[in-house]
Amino acid sequence: MVIDPRDSKVVYVAAEGPLWGAGGDRGLFKSTDGGKTWKAVLTISENTGVVDVAIDPSNPDIVYAAAYQRRRHVFTLIDGGPESTIYKSTDAGATWNKLKSGLPSMDMGRIGLAVSSADPNVVYATVEAADGKGGIFRSNDKGATWERRNEFDQGAMYYARVVTDPKNMDRIFVMSVELRQSLDGGKTLQKVNEKNHHGDNHAMWIDPDDTRHWLLGSDGGMYETWDDARNWEFKANLPTVQFYDVAVDNASPFYNVCGGTQDYFSWCGPARTRDLNGIVNSDWFVTTGGDGFRSQVDPVDPNTIYSESQYGVLIRYDKPTGQELVLQPLEGKGEPPLRWNWDSPIIVSPHSHTRLYFAANKLFRSDDRGDTWKAISGDLTRQIDRNKLPVMGKVWGPDAVAKNQSTSFYGNIVALAESPKKEGLIYVGTDDGLIQVTSDGGTSWTKYEKFAGVPEMTYVSRLAASNFEVNTVYAAFDNHKNSDFKPYLLKSSDTGKTWTSIAGDLPQNGPVLAFVEDTVNPNLLFAGTEFGAFFTIDGGQHWVQLKGGLPTIAVRDMVIQAREGDLVIATFGRGFYVLDDITPLRQTKADSTEQAVAVFPVKDALLYVERHPLGGPKKGFQGDAFYTAENPPYGAVFTAYMKEKIKTKKEKRQEAEKDAAKKNQTLPYPTKDELRAEAEEAKPEVYFVVYDESGAAIRRVDAGGEGGFQRVAWDLRYAAPQVKKASEDGDGDFPDSGDLGPLVISGTYSVRMFDKVGGVVTELAGPQTFKVVTEGAAGMSAADRPAQEQFMRKVTRLYRTVSGALHTAEDVESRLKAIRGALREAPAVEKELGAVADSLEARDRAILLALRGDVEMAKRSEPVSSSISDRVGSVMDGERFSLAKPTQSHIDSYNIAAAEFAEQLGKLRTLVEVDLTKLEKDMEAAGAPWTPGRVPEWSEK
């Protein structure tokens, strides 16, 4: 994409494939309204698009475009042809001319273009061509003639991009596996320092004001240098990883997610952590290198991980030691070579955790975790010679541009599943459109090659054997490499003999790349497509897109973590996503959304103390660039559905007025009483109430009043002893101890949903019962956790009372200050009542000294004795990050504080309720000015 420097609303986009916002054509498109509408300004043929575009900065009416004829099928790549060339327009795209002089005369492939900002007469092109005639070309006359400056032509289908130095016309950079630089206009190339930098470079920006400052995009992400690549800074906060596949383990208490990425290795990391800060980059670890693909984890031993790089290089990774052992089987002596897919399928048998199935063009089985392999099939593909298949209307010879490069060997297995209901019932899908089935562990196979509504020889993208019906299997097909972007998703109820489409109303533009059947509800299915994730609750008749923060992105794989009921998906460009607890979707039926309100079953909640390894919440002190992914909400998560928003009187009136306006009607103007009622109406409230096993209400959790689904979490605490104060410093610190109630103990709890509208409380839904389970409870004595909970509830009650007493005493201090001011205006009683006020002030100061300590000496940095508040606060702070039984020191502090407080509370009560009240009554009788804390008296008599 390039933007006209004269007018930022004029944009050119090169489309080597169909541009869906412009009628599905390929070519060069132009927008004059900032991308709202598009018009094709250069189209060549159905086989040829435009891969690059450049504008002359001195005259933006001069536009260069690189036409790119190529076709990638499942079986091959032809990366060039006679239609690949460079076009030039001198009238902003209205007309075009081919540029030929000095460029290769044979078939060209992908071309990258750049116009020098330092001298716009100079144009560079990286050209891919047949017979080794490609390379780096330069024109010194705006494209009229070209000179081949260098033979460098590597990996054009991935790279083919040249970048010019904004201030030096002879300095260029060529994208490749290693970034290369030329200081003499392309005659010679040198590798740029990429120590501590991931290769496979695709995009580069050079700061026009400081050409030592670059941004470089590669398969590893985004990097920045300020010193001409001497040092690199990795932008670790951009979650742009391209995952091909996903797997989960059964680690406890929190499971891990594993998967392989586009040229960025295979990784595993936690779905949640104990850390208050969330999931950080250092929580992830590499299991093998290369382009990462399938991963599987032993369901019994989460320390055993199987990971794979391209073309079937399978390893077994031992998590505690980091050891990797290569397991890939090879063909036997004298046998033809195996054909592995770029993304070869492997599964762990649901019937034995040490049994693996792994597929090339044959299916292999291991019963000892990959130490030994046995082929249990012959070649299960069509065994077609790909070199005899036509591409773009003809069969191409061996010298075609980049023929067969970066393409899997045709005729291999790409999808694999074993029935969890029947051992040895195995399904295999191939890249040439076959599904092969064995019901006896591979002794015999049945081939299926035609599927209703699916074009013949379509790539089988996924197979899934049902968790419920032994004869049921699902198949997804992907035909996008034949320019067919329809979703093909089928179901068979007879082990593959007959098939029915369950694609339903999935969007017609979006091949199905991933699929999973729920482990609880057989009608709940999930599909991943090129443009997002979808679910159905009726077996495939009607599909709904999953949103809720999930971007529109290719979803390449998906899996359900059965123990937790989570849906985990792998996206190609935005990393992993987890939809926590799909119970509400499992419970939803076609008529569920017609209910006024529903509260769904609540998952049991794990009670533990969150760690804070960064010293504070969120990102600690690591700065905004530090990357963290949020953990799922801590505590018990409540999910509810409300058909409609709860509306205020004003909202109802405004809605009625809008409806009337649509009908050309006018409603009566609201009365003053109605407008006053609107203004005085309290905002409607929706909330949950949590009850303990005895039925006592222990906590309110606020919810939203909007319609639709909503989730809120209870933090497994009793109510706080004080109302939380607004923080002046934002939310970057831990909350005060008094802002948190004590943690509850393990047990059975329930929740109900309420609303409060117009002052009336109504129960909307519930109850739903759930359990709270304490992490590590097995390591505690039966009395430890209850003892801590009972102690902390006792401490919290004392904290509430001490805090209230302290605020009361401080309020008395303020009231007495106002009283002294008022008495100065009442000279008749100033002497008498002033002495009383002085006495009360002295008593209040003594109480404050006991409650909060010697403030004056503390200001002077002198040691002071622990006050009642100090002792209670130290217990609250000291116990807040622990579930252990209370220490004796904390028990002693509590006992001392409780005994001292009882005496001071009695004094404070007498001071406030008796003596201060009498003083204020005497002031009122004397006609002294009003002071805060008393209601004035008045009578005409």
Side-chain angles (χ1 to χ4, degrees):
M1 181 180 76
V2 296
I3 300 173
D4 189 326
R6 298 170 303 186
D7 184 351
S8 61
K9 291 185 177 181
V10 177
V11 184
Y12 294 89
V13 169
E16 57 178 297
L19 185 67
W20 293 104
D25 293 327
R26 65 188 76 212
L28 183 65
F29 297 85
K30 180 180 180 179
S31 173
T32 57
D33 54 12
K36 296 178 182 177
T37 59
W38 295 92
K39 175 185 178 182
V41 293
L42 177 61
T43 57
I44 296 96
S45 74
E46 64 176 356
N47 297 318
T48 303
V50 173
V51 72
D52 204 0
V53 59
I55 289 180
D56 186 328
S58 65
N59 180 3
D61 286 338
I62 298 177
V63 183
Y64 303 90
Y68 181 28
Q69 181 181 0
R70 66 102 173 91
R71 180 57 61 90
R72 180 186 289 277
H73 288 299
V74 171
F75 58 86
T76 193
L77 168 70
I78 303 297
D79 207 47
E83 293 178 354
S84 289
T85 191
I86 301 175
Y87 286 88
K88 177 181 178 181
S89 173
T90 57
D91 50 16
T95 60
W96 296 88
N97 294 307
K98 287 184 181 181
L99 304 180
K100 298 180 180 179
S101 180
L103 292 172
S105 58
M106 63 288 299
D107 288 352
M108 290 187 286
R110 186 169 181 172
I111 300 170
L113 296 171
V115 180
S116 172
S117 298
D119 182 353
N121 292 306
V122 175
V123 185
Y124 288 95
T126 59
V127 178
E128 180 186 29
D131 298 330
K133 301 299 183 182
I136 299 172
F137 290 75
R138 170 169 158 165
S139 171
N140 294 319
D141 51 14
K142 294 184 182 286
T145 60
W146 295 84
E147 175 193 1
R148 188 190 193 197
R149 310 277 283 189
N150 197 295
E151 297 180 1
F152 183 81
D153 175 17
Q154 295 181 10
M157 77 284 291
Y158 294 129
Y159 311 107
R161 188 167 300 278
V162 59
V163 177
T164 61
D165 185 307
K167 295 183 178 180
N168 183 347
M169 69 177 183
D170 289 322
R171 189 190 193 200
I172 63 171
F173 297 87
V174 179
M175 303 300 108
S176 183
V177 176
E178 299 97 2
L179 180 64
R180 297 171 188 259
Q181 175 184 227
S182 174
L183 300 176
D184 52 13
K187 290 181 180 179
T188 60
L189 291 173
Q190 303 85 36
K191 292 182 180 179
V192 172
N193 171 48
E194 292 190 82
K195 183 180 179 181
N196 301 321
H197 172 276
H198 191 290
D200 277 4
N201 303 286
H202 298 281
M204 183 179 184
W205 171 83
I206 302 175
D207 189 336
D209 297 321
D210 179 3
T211 58
R212 299 171 301 168
H213 176 209
W214 317 338
L215 292 174
L216 186 62
S218 73
D219 279 7
M222 179 72 74
Y223 294 80
E224 186 173 27
T225 177
W226 293 85
D227 54 11
D228 274 341
R230 291 180 179 84
N231 298 280
W232 291 99
E233 178 187 353
F234 175 55
K235 302 301 181 182
N237 58 354
L238 294 175
T240 57
V241 177
Q242 298 170 308
F243 277 104
Y244 286 103
D245 301 287
V246 62
V248 293
D249 67 15
N250 288 318
S252 181
F254 309 133
Y255 67 90
N256 293 287
V257 181
C258 301
T261 72
Q262 164 58 39
D263 201 27
Y264 203 40
F265 307 164
S266 292
W267 295 79
C268 288
R272 81 180 298 161
T273 68
R274 295 177 176 83
D275 298 344
L276 186 66
N277 311 102
I279 305 166
V280 301
N281 289 338
S282 58
D283 290 320
W284 292 83
F285 58 95
V286 171
T287 58
T288 193
D291 286 273
F293 290 101
R294 311 290 172 104
S295 292
Q296 292 289 306
V297 188
D298 188 313
V300 176
D301 176 15
N303 287 325
T304 298
I305 303 167
Y306 303 95
S307 298
E308 179 192 340
S309 54
Q310 61 266 42
Y311 297 124
V313 181
L314 178 68
I315 65 98
R316 186 174 69 225
Y317 178 83
D318 182 68
K319 185 176 177 181
T321 65
Q323 295 182 33
E324 297 181 43
L325 180 65
V326 177
L327 306 177
Q328 183 178 23
L330 301 177
E331 70 274 10
K333 183 177 181 179
E335 294 180 352
L338 295 170
R339 297 189 300 276
W340 297 95
N341 191 264
W342 188 249
D343 185 2
S344 299
I346 178 175
I347 61 172
V348 177
S349 172
H351 304 283
S352 171
H353 73 100
T354 61
R355 182 180 303 155
L356 308 178
Y357 292 101
F358 190 32
N361 53 314
K362 299 177 180 181
L363 182 62
F364 291 87
R365 168 175 163 167
S366 172
D367 288 302
D368 53 11
R369 306 190 311 155
D371 287 346
T372 58
W373 294 95
K374 176 184 176 182
I376 61 170
S377 78
D379 193 323
L380 294 177
T381 73
R382 296 179 189 266
Q383 302 176 56
I384 295 172
D385 183 353
R386 63 179 175 177
N387 293 313
K388 296 180 180 179
L389 295 175
V391 180
M392 294 184 286
K394 72 174 188 177
V395 176
W396 294 71
D399 299 321
V401 179
K403 186 174 189 294
N404 293 337
Q405 290 185 17
S406 297
T407 306
S408 298
F409 306 114
Y410 192 50
N412 53 67
I413 297 168
V414 292
L416 175 61
E418 182 182 19
S419 170
K421 307 296 290 183
K422 180 180 177 181
E423 186 174 358
L425 176 55
I426 302 170
Y427 301 90
V428 159
T430 69
D431 64 345
D432 51 14
L434 297 180
I435 292 180
Q436 301 259 22
V437 184
T438 179
S439 59
D440 52 19
T443 301
S444 59
W445 291 87
T446 302
K447 179 173 68 176
Y448 300 101
E449 54 186 334
K450 295 184 183 297
F451 308 92
V454 180
E456 193 170 349
M457 297 179 63
T458 297
Y459 184 100
V460 183
S461 55
R462 293 293 176 197
L463 288 170
S466 174
N467 298 302
F468 305 94
E469 299 295 333
V470 66
N471 294 323
T472 296
V473 62
Y474 302 89
F477 297 82
D478 175 10
N479 201 35
H480 83 274
K481 289 183 180 177
N482 286 313
S483 297
D484 175 6
F485 299 94
K486 293 179 182 178
Y488 296 109
L489 184 58
L490 278 64
K491 175 181 178 180
S492 173
S493 300
D494 52 16
T495 62
K497 296 180 181 67
T498 60
W499 296 85
T500 303
S501 174
I502 57 169
D505 54 1
L506 280 171
Q508 287 301 293
N509 175 30
V512 178
L513 309 176
F515 174 85
V516 68
E517 178 193 54
D518 186 29
T519 57
V520 174
N521 180 352
N523 291 314
L524 177 59
L525 311 175
F526 298 90
T529 77
E530 185 69 25
F531 299 106
F534 297 80
F535 75 94
T536 175
I537 59 174
D538 56 17
Q541 298 179 48
H542 174 59
W543 293 86
V544 178
Q545 187 169 6
L546 285 169
K547 295 183 179 179
L550 179 65
T552 299
I553 190 72
V555 175
R556 297 296 296 260
D557 198 12
M558 46 182 40
V559 66
I560 290 173
Q561 213 289 340
R563 185 190 69 212
E564 301 297 331
D566 294 351
L567 175 68
V568 186
I569 68 173
T571 72
F572 204 68
R574 294 294 184 272
F576 289 131
Y577 279 79
V578 180
L579 177 58
D580 302 300
D581 188 13
I582 59 174
T583 298
L585 297 181
R586 290 168 169 168
Q587 299 279 331
T588 300
K589 297 180 174 57
D591 59 353
S592 294
T593 54
E594 296 304 313
Q595 300 179 72
V597 183
V599 174
F600 292 92
V602 181
K603 183 178 174 179
D604 291 349
L606 183 65
L607 176 65
Y608 59 94
V609 173
E610 292 180 291
R611 299 182 302 198
H612 42 280
L614 300 182
K618 298 186 181 298
K619 299 185 180 186
F621 310 116
Q622 303 302 308
D624 291 324
F626 185 77
Y627 181 75
T628 62
E630 290 186 4
N631 273 320
Y634 174 84
V637 177
F638 307 143
T639 306
Y641 173 81
M642 296 179 62
K643 184 179 180 181
E644 296 180 352
K645 175 185 176 181
I646 298 179
K647 302 183 179 104
T648 62
K649 290 182 173 68
K650 182 177 181 179
E651 288 171 331
K652 290 177 182 178
R653 171 179 60 79
Q654 291 175 334
E655 189 175 88
E657 289 171 345
K658 289 179 181 178
D659 291 340
K662 291 177 182 178
K663 301 174 184 177
N664 293 321
Q665 298 174 351
T666 302
L667 296 180
Y669 193 83
T671 66
K672 293 179 180 179
D673 287 341
E674 290 171 337
L675 291 174
R676 189 177 298 109
E678 287 181 4
E680 295 174 354
E681 181 185 22
K683 182 180 179 181
E685 301 175 29
V686 179
Y687 56 92
F688 296 93
V689 175
V690 180
Y691 301 83
D692 65 16
E693 201 161 359
S694 72
I698 61 171
R699 188 70 187 276
R700 167 178 163 149
V701 181
D702 288 332
E706 300 294 324
F709 286 93
Q710 60 176 298
R711 274 183 164 167
V712 297
W714 168 45
D715 62 2
L716 308 184
R717 293 182 179 274
Y718 293 101
Q722 67 183 24
V723 178
K724 185 176 182 179
K725 301 182 291 290
S727 172
E728 296 180 359
D729 301 322
D731 55 1
D733 298 323
F734 288 115
D736 292 339
S737 296
D739 293 339
L740 298 173
L743 289 163
V744 300
I745 59 173
S746 301
T748 301
Y749 296 82
S750 62
V751 63
R752 300 172 187 262
M753 188 177 186
F754 297 84
D755 72 6
K756 183 178 181 182
V757 181
V760 178
V761 175
T762 305
E763 182 174 339
L764 300 177
Q768 291 288 355
T769 301
F770 60 97
K771 293 183 181 299
V772 173
V773 181
T774 303
E775 181 191 24
M780 296 181 179
S781 74
D784 281 356
R785 181 75 256 279
Q788 200 258 3
E789 184 261 357
Q790 292 168 15
F791 177 68
M792 286 308 299
R793 292 191 73 180
K794 186 167 63 172
V795 173
T796 301
R797 289 195 299 272
L798 180 59
Y799 181 96
R800 180 194 70 84
T801 315
V802 170
S803 177
L806 181 56
H807 286 302
T808 300
E810 289 172 342
D811 180 60
V812 169
E813 193 174 36
S814 298
R815 288 166 68 179
L816 287 170
K817 181 178 180 181
I819 285 171
R820 286 197 304 273
L823 289 174
R824 284 195 289 270
E825 303 299 325
V829 295
E830 180 182 7
K831 181 178 180 181
E832 177 187 354
L833 297 184
V836 174
D838 290 343
S839 173
L840 295 183
E841 185 175 48
R843 289 162 58 190
D844 187 58
R845 285 175 177 169
I847 293 171
L848 283 171
L849 182 65
L851 290 178
R852 70 186 182 189
D854 195 332
V855 176
E856 290 305 318
M857 290 301 101
K859 287 180 182 178
R860 299 174 183 273
S861 299
E862 296 292 342
V864 295
S865 300
S866 297
S867 67
I868 295 171
S869 182
D870 290 336
R871 293 186 185 277
V872 178
S874 71
V875 177
M876 293 282 284
D877 287 336
E879 295 278 340
R880 68 187 302 188
F881 297 125
S882 173
L883 294 178
K885 68 178 182 180
T887 67
Q888 189 59 48
S889 295
H890 288 162
I891 294 172
D892 292 344
S893 288
Y894 170 81
N895 291 335
I896 293 170
E900 292 181 352
F901 180 65
E903 177 186 356
Q904 297 302 323
L905 182 60
K907 293 179 180 179
L908 180 63
R909 192 178 299 280
T910 299
L911 174 64
V912 175
E913 296 178 355
V914 178
D915 300 330
L916 180 60
T917 300
K918 182 179 184 305
L919 172 59
E920 289 176 334
K921 285 182 178 180
D922 291 344
M923 290 178 64
E924 186 67 30
W930 174 86
T931 56
R934 60 188 171 96
V935 179
E937 297 178 2
W938 179 81
S939 172
E940 289 187 1
K941 297 180 180 180

